[in-house]
Amino acid sequence: MNYNFDKLTKRRNSNCYKWDMYANDDILPMWVADMDFEVAPCITKALHQRVDHAIFGYTYIPDSYYQSIINWFKRRHNWAINSEWILYTTGVIPAMSVTIKALCQPGDKVLVQTPVYNHFFSSIINNGCQVVESALVRKDNTYCIDFEDFDKKTTDPKVKVFLLCNPHNPASRLWTANELLQMEQICRKNNTTIISDEIHCEIVMPDQHFTPFGTISNNCLDNAVVLNSPSKSFNTAGLQIANIICKDAKMRANINRTININEVCDVNPFGVIALQAAYNEGEQWLDEMCNYVWNNYLTLVDFCKNKLPQIRITKLEGTYLVWADISATGKTSDQITQLLIDKGHVMVSSGTIFGKTDGEGFIRINIACPRSRLIDGLNRIANVLGK
């Protein structure tokens, strides 16, 4: 490897939300989707050059920003994006919220597939809309879609939007082109617009394939909006940059108006610089990082097989987030999570934040860290649950 993902970088006392949330210095955080890897050197170099300029005024978005996005998705995913489709904003969660606001009225319903990323719920509720859940079906060690239920839920005329998670967090599914096309056809038939959150789209495990929603048919983007950002893939979440890809001109104008209403139209210079460096020069770093995460996953699977056989691990197709079934312990997700903090000094995410019903009996573990840190965390878990 050309990059050292084994390096243990000290993050505590750096105003890091992940590491400094607890006053107890012995808490090992394996929860929020934030990697413990230093970013690609090309990003650091580009940011140093920008800092050396020593003036940080309002940021103008250059043509090179749009071109780096276009080139990246064409090269990596064979997806041809036009520059006029791209709206920039401060993050995928703000992008999600403004898009829901633009497409819905208070009281409308938004469909999600549970268990799902917890901010889906808050973005919907904060816009005065109602959450409608279509539960994913757990089969063997992965998940599939209940298309009959999905169709039934979207026939409700109050369901204006389907909020898709692709790749899925926390189930780590990379939806196939056929699955995406079937969802698109059902939503089109029922006049439901799709918002596809693809923030984890570059974190793909070996022998897996990510399909952008925008590539599944010639007219799929007539009824859909795609949200993406390099923040998860390149560990730049704190730099606050994301993009909304919207082909339909009328829909795009409504979203752009809502971006300005919500005052998330101004981004900082560092996010703009980092995105271009990542997309123009960071490909090898990304590929090596994904391979390292995959080997972390294999380490975790082998560890659980030998020391924590009561925990069933979901197949990891994408993301660096492992969805673990802890129902055999006889304790709730919240009980297990608190027990691990109190007794093991390790913090994971309780499954219930991803859906009170469909997340119960699970925890989510972030494995994007140096392997020695992962093994430390797994030993802490085993010291508690192994007993």
Side-chain angles (χ1 to χ4, degrees):
M1 288 198 308
N2 292 291
Y3 304 100
N4 182 13
F5 296 100
D6 287 319
K7 182 178 179 181
L8 289 168
T9 302
K10 185 178 182 295
R11 300 190 66 191
R12 201 176 298 280
N13 299 320
S14 65
N15 296 324
C16 171
Y17 186 71
K18 177 180 179 180
W19 281 85
D20 291 330
M21 180 177 176
Y22 278 89
N24 185 346
D25 284 352
D26 193 38
I27 297 291
L28 179 62
M30 301 180 75
W31 60 294
V32 69
D34 175 341
M35 295 192 280
D36 282 341
F37 304 134
E38 293 184 359
V39 301
C42 62
I43 297 176
T44 305
K45 180 181 177 181
L47 291 175
H48 274 301
Q49 291 173 345
R50 183 63 184 85
V51 167
D52 288 343
H53 181 65
I55 299 176
F56 312 114
Y58 296 118
T59 300
Y60 171 78
I61 308 300
D63 290 341
S64 58
Y65 174 89
Y66 299 101
Q67 199 58 51
S68 65
I69 297 167
I70 292 167
N71 292 344
W72 176 268
F73 282 97
K74 181 62 177 177
R75 184 172 69 251
R76 293 281 292 192
H77 304 293
N78 197 31
W79 182 17
I81 301 173
N82 291 336
S83 60
E84 60 266 26
W85 300 355
I86 303 171
L87 300 171
Y88 60 85
T89 186
T90 56
V92 164
I93 295 173
M96 184 186 307
S97 292
V98 298
T99 305
I100 291 171
K101 186 172 184 175
L103 299 179
C104 297
Q105 295 296 321
D108 285 343
K109 298 178 181 179
V110 177
L111 179 67
V112 299
Q113 294 169 311
T114 48
V116 75
Y117 179 47
N118 52 300
H119 281 287
F120 277 28
F121 301 105
S122 57
S123 288
I124 295 167
I125 294 167
N126 288 344
N127 277 294
C129 297
Q130 303 175 55
V131 177
V132 176
E133 300 180 18
S134 180
L136 296 172
V137 178
R138 187 164 176 82
K139 185 176 181 181
D140 298 326
N141 65 338
T142 189
Y143 283 84
C144 58
I145 299 167
D146 183 343
F147 280 106
E148 182 178 352
D149 181 70
F150 184 87
D151 192 359
K152 180 181 178 181
K153 295 291 173 59
T154 55
T155 57
D156 181 349
K158 291 289 288 182
V159 175
K160 301 299 184 182
V161 162
F162 163 47
L163 193 49
L164 169 66
C165 198
N166 180 39
H168 194 277
N169 171 17
S172 74
R173 273 299 315 276
L174 298 176
W175 303 118
T176 66
N178 286 336
E179 288 171 318
L180 292 170
L181 184 59
Q182 193 168 348
M183 287 187 277
E184 193 273 338
Q185 290 171 340
I186 291 172
C187 286
R188 185 181 294 273
K189 177 189 70 173
N190 293 324
N191 296 314
T192 303
T193 305
I194 298 169
I195 303 173
S196 184
D197 172 7
E198 301 186 358
I199 193 171
H200 289 277
C201 69
E202 307 301 343
I203 308 169
V204 178
M205 297 301 102
D207 300 321
Q208 299 293 332
H209 175 72
F210 169 74
T211 302
F213 187 86
T215 65
I216 59 172
S217 70
N218 291 330
N219 60 354
C220 61
L221 288 179
D222 294 342
N223 187 48
V225 178
V226 175
L227 316 178
N228 58 41
S229 169
S231 62
K232 298 300 182 189
S233 306
F234 289 95
N235 205 25
T236 58
L239 299 182
Q240 299 289 288
I241 194 75
N243 297 293
I244 301 169
I245 314 297
C246 183
K247 179 182 177 182
D248 183 84
K250 182 178 180 181
M251 196 187 313
R252 187 169 65 249
N254 287 337
I255 295 170
N256 191 41
R257 179 173 177 271
T258 311
I259 288 173
N260 284 272
I261 289 172
N262 282 22
E263 301 292 358
V264 286
C265 49
D266 290 323
V267 294
N268 72 81
F270 303 111
V272 175
I273 293 295
L275 179 144
Q276 294 177 82
Y279 284 166
N280 293 339
E281 305 175 63
E283 201 156 359
Q284 185 178 6
W285 181 93
L286 174 67
D287 291 340
E288 289 191 16
M289 183 276 292
C290 288
N291 187 64
Y292 190 92
V293 167
W294 173 248
N295 282 286
N296 271 359
Y297 171 73
L298 296 179
T299 298
L300 178 144
V301 169
D302 185 66
F303 185 97
C304 290
K305 179 180 178 180
N306 292 310
K307 295 187 177 181
L308 291 166
Q310 72 273 39
I311 296 181
R312 293 182 294 167
I313 303 300
T314 302
K315 180 182 178 182
L316 188 71
E317 296 181 359
T319 82
Y320 47 74
L321 304 164
V322 174
W323 190 236
D325 183 345
I326 49 86
S327 58
T329 65
K331 296 184 181 295
T332 68
S333 298
D334 290 349
Q335 288 171 335
I336 287 292
T337 303
Q338 193 61 50
L339 189 63
L340 290 175
I341 292 172
D342 295 340
K343 302 294 184 181
H345 292 179
V346 58
M347 185 177 181
V348 299
S349 297
S350 172
T352 55
I353 68 172
F354 306 101
K356 291 183 179 179
T357 299
D358 300 307
E360 182 56 79
F362 292 85
I363 57 173
R364 193 191 73 174
I365 306 171
N366 179 349
I367 62 170
C369 60
R371 196 152 300 133
S372 61
R373 188 168 285 165
L374 170 68
I375 293 170
D376 179 14
L378 293 175
N379 280 322
R380 294 179 188 217
I381 294 172
N383 286 339
V384 177
L385 302 188
K387 298 176 182 180

